Amino acid sequence: QSLSTGMAVAGVLVLARSVRMTTKFTRASDIPVGFVEKNVKLRGRLHHITEKGLEVEHIPISVPFVTSIQRKWQSKGLLLVRLAGVELAPSGMAWLQQELKPKQIIWFQLLGREDLALECLVLVNKGRFLSVCLNEEILRQGLGRTAPIEGLHHDSRLYWKLHKRLLQAELKALKKSKGIWREESYSERIRDCISSNKFIQTLKQLVNWLRGS
């Protein structure tokens, strides 16, 4: 009898775990604290790219019987996923809109939860065995700047490990003068100086007046 009771309890625990893993999360607050603390990686389908972040439909793990039951009462909604540790430049937003396709499958690793948004590392598959971290790629292309990783303790080992990776990606763009780090050429600087010179501006106004008269 004790054996059967033990097996029943074990079955309930396994079922409870399965329910949590197969639950479709439609709000950031629905995600268990343990998932965030353990930096669980979730899968989702991209819907929109906004100034606040990526709007993603969570795709839970599919388990026979359990999934079919859950679909009947699961609500609809999108998760707001932000690129942790990255301050996007306007060119970075345009790059994301060009690179990512609607309904594209992405993976997002939970790092923190702030208000209604999730701070994540966002991964995109590039082939069967290759994936790209968008957080690093944006910095590598010079399309943004590094920022504090919200949701992670600043004295944690993971924080500094990830922050180091992001800084290294940003440094590559800085060394190659890419994106926002691109330095103006000598001729561009001379042209800007001339165009901003008050005497040149007055002379242009005079020429335009003479032409008009």
Side-chain angles (χ1 to χ4, degrees), residues 49-119:
I49 300 173
T50 70
E51 293 182 355
K52 295 181 179 180
L54 308 179
E55 293 184 350
V56 179
E57 177 188 1
H58 174 227
I59 302 176
I61 296 175
S62 180
V63 175
F65 181 69
V66 176
T67 302
S68 59
I69 295 177
Q70 286 182 315
R71 284 176 181 170
K72 297 179 180 180
W73 51 265
Q74 284 178 340
S75 59
K76 295 182 180 180
L78 301 176
L79 299 174
L80 182 60
V81 176
R82 290 198 295 230
L83 299 173
V86 177
E87 181 184 340
L88 269 179
S91 54
M93 175 72 67
W95 183 84
L96 282 175
Q97 293 172 340
Q98 182 179 357
E99 290 293 316
L100 299 179
K101 301 176 182 178
K103 307 298 183 181
Q104 182 171 351
I105 302 300
I106 65 173
W107 291 86
F108 51 103
Q109 184 175 4
L110 304 173
L111 298 180
R113 178 168 48 197
E114 293 291 326
D115 299 327
L116 301 177
L118 298 168
E119 299 289 337

Side-chain angles (χ1 to χ4, degrees), residues 120-137:
C120 304
L121 289 181
V122 179
L123 306 171
V124 176
N125 289 332
K126 295 289 185 179
R128 178 176 293 183
F129 303 107
L130 179 64
S131 63
V132 174
C133 176
L134 291 182
N135 308 57
E136 294 181 64
E137 187 62 23

